[in-house]
Amino acid sequence: MSDQHYSAHAPHEPVPFISLIAQHQTLAHEVTAAVGRVLAEQKFILGEEVSQLETQVAKYCDSRSAIGCASGTDALILALMALGVGPGDEVITSPFTFFATASSICRLGAKPVFVDIDPKTFNIDPEAVEAAITPSTKAIMPVHLFGLCADMERLWRIAVSHGVSIVEDACQAIGAEYRGRRAGVLGTIGCFSFFPTKNLGGAGDGGMLTTDDADLCKQLRCLRVHGDTGNYHHTEIGLNSRLDAIQAAVLRIKLKHLDQWTEARRRNAQTYRELFVAYSLNDEIALPLEPREYKHVYNQFTVRIPGGRRDGVQQRLRANHIGAMVYYPIPLHVQPCFEHLGHRVGEFPEAEAASREVLSLPVYPEMPAHHPELVVRQLKAAFGQTRSQGDARRAA
Ligand SMILES: *Cc1c(COP(=O)(O)O)cnc(C)c1O
């Protein structure tokens, strides 16, 4: 049977949510050679590869310095450590994000103070942030969720007026821009992840911090090596959180292609927007917002499917071989491990509604050109077949 023939009923090729293999194939020779170079040298921890990558990432973000570390999670922990966050301190953040955003705060004995999100951007609502400031607030930790920067100017004004720092969780947002400046230089310290499915992904775990502050940079370099200030002299208890030379060698090759991959993600997003109009889905399903003066880098292309239909739609897409994922199904304030914070269901209605309605569609840069239409066609069919909760109640 010809695979040129697609319909909502005929079987078609699977549409993966993401495939890292296509990207690797385009770079396999270069990456293999770079890893071979590191193996030949047998210098695996930090070293020249890592400092070169640090210089390149600093330049990429227009930051004075960049500091490699073992993961995005560690970047968040190190940033808070460098700012002196500890027991008794509060850090304001989003309940609608990956777990590590809040766990990094708890790991240091501080308290995550959740505030609700703006339903259009999925990022923390600056007004709610302002209302949550107390004398114990030490920092604000906005997340640039899915690759769209938070409302940084308003957050920065709040931070300055209350004398608190900003740690950007930019793990999903390398290359994202806000008023012409890139994620990572919009707060006091920026935190990045090189987890393989991030926009700049390594061959394992890795992370990076960015800062313009020379003292913080010095402290971060010390904290990532057990707080060693040199010659086994320790003034602080740090972590063992270093970036491997192999990761840095791979990432240096990939960084050269990052802008081109970001453009491919943005083209895929634009294709979805046109297809949603063509298939008359744009009234019923909300597309991700890209406000003026922001550049979205679409680590995820996340739509909202209202009316209690999201899970049914996802199941039907799966049954029709379309990969679609829910990021994130459970807001952090109701996670069992944060029970001691005393939150209840209903406290952050926007974050909770987002958890029920979001669905992320495939958007990876190497996605075949005909896949967005397969996704939208199946989405149209799945949406039509899935009853809303209101319909189900009326029928019962
Ligand atoms: C991926 C991610 C992290 C953690 O990064 P790791 O490198 O996996 O430790 C933190 N915050 C957000 C928002 C992320 O997406």
Side-chain angles (χ1 to χ4, degrees), residues 23-304:
Q23 184 168 96
H24 176 66
Q25 283 169 347
T26 67
L27 303 172
H29 279 301
E30 241 186 309
V31 167
T32 308
V35 171
R37 212 168 57 227
V38 176
L39 288 173
E41 286 172 3
Q42 293 286 302
K43 289 181 184 154
F44 295 116
I45 309 290
L46 296 175
E48 194 55 25
E49 292 285 352
V50 172
S51 49
Q52 291 276 348
L53 178 70
E54 289 173 341
T55 304
Q56 287 160 359
V57 169
K59 186 159 176 251
Y60 184 81
C61 297
D62 196 22
S63 171
R64 288 214 187 113
S65 58
I67 304 100
C69 66
S71 69
T73 305
D74 276 6
L76 296 168
I77 293 173
L78 286 162
L80 295 171
M81 284 174 89
L83 294 170
V85 171
D89 294 330
E90 296 177 355
V91 179
I92 300 171
T93 194
S94 170
F96 187 63
T97 173
F98 179 61
F99 178 71
T101 310
S103 70
S104 63
I105 300 165
C106 291
R107 181 53 65 216
L108 294 174
K111 180 183 171 191
V113 174
F114 296 119
V115 298
D116 214 351
I117 56 165
D118 175 335
K120 292 203 201 68
T121 63
F122 302 117
N123 286 326
I124 45 174
D125 173 0
E127 241 167 75
V129 170
E130 176 114 62
I133 299 258
T134 74
S136 301
T137 307
K138 202 74 181 253
I140 305 168
M141 191 185 271
V143 183
H144 306 318
L145 201 69
F146 305 142
L148 177 71
C149 288
D151 187 348
M152 293 306 292
E153 187 162 323
R154 285 173 71 197
L155 291 174
W156 188 248
R157 257 190 264 131
I158 294 164
V160 168
S161 72
H162 295 276
V164 304
S165 303
I166 293 186
V167 175
E168 293 175 76
D169 183 342
C171 286
Q172 299 181 3
I174 191 162
E177 292 176 21
Y178 174 84
R179 300 199 169 153
R181 297 174 69 215
R182 282 191 164 151
V185 296
L186 307 169
T188 320
I189 304 178
C191 300
F192 294 96
S193 164
F194 302 128
F195 184 83
T197 61
K198 305 287 159 121
N199 287 19
L200 179 62
D205 278 312
M208 186 77 73
L209 297 122
T210 47
T211 184
D212 280 344
D213 185 312
D215 290 335
L216 286 174
C217 172
K218 201 171 143 201
Q219 224 179 332
L220 289 166
R221 289 193 188 287
C222 169
L223 284 168
R224 74 175 167 178
V225 287
H226 305 282
D228 189 347
T229 54
N231 293 318
Y232 297 94
H233 189 82
H234 300 264
T235 48
E236 272 183 283
I237 302 167
L239 303 180
N240 172 6
S241 181
R242 297 163 301 207
L243 188 62
D244 292 345
I246 286 183
Q247 293 307 331
V250 171
L251 290 163
R252 279 177 63 199
I253 291 164
K254 290 190 157 193
L255 180 59
K256 291 186 281 185
H257 301 272
L258 179 60
D259 282 338
Q260 173 198 327
W261 293 334
T262 298
E263 285 318 305
R265 287 177 184 276
R266 290 174 55 77
R267 269 199 308 280
N268 292 337
Q270 185 53 31
T271 302
Y272 274 127
R273 290 184 195 283
E274 288 160 16
L275 287 165
F276 270 66
V277 174
Y279 281 79
S280 308
L281 270 172
N282 56 317
D283 284 339
E284 296 171 297
I285 298 180
L287 289 161
L289 187 74
E290 182 176 30
R292 270 187 55 223
E293 302 190 280
Y294 288 69
K295 181 177 180 180
H296 202 317
V297 295
Y298 296 104
N299 180 242
Q300 303 296 348
F301 185 87
T302 304
V303 302
R304 289 184 80 123

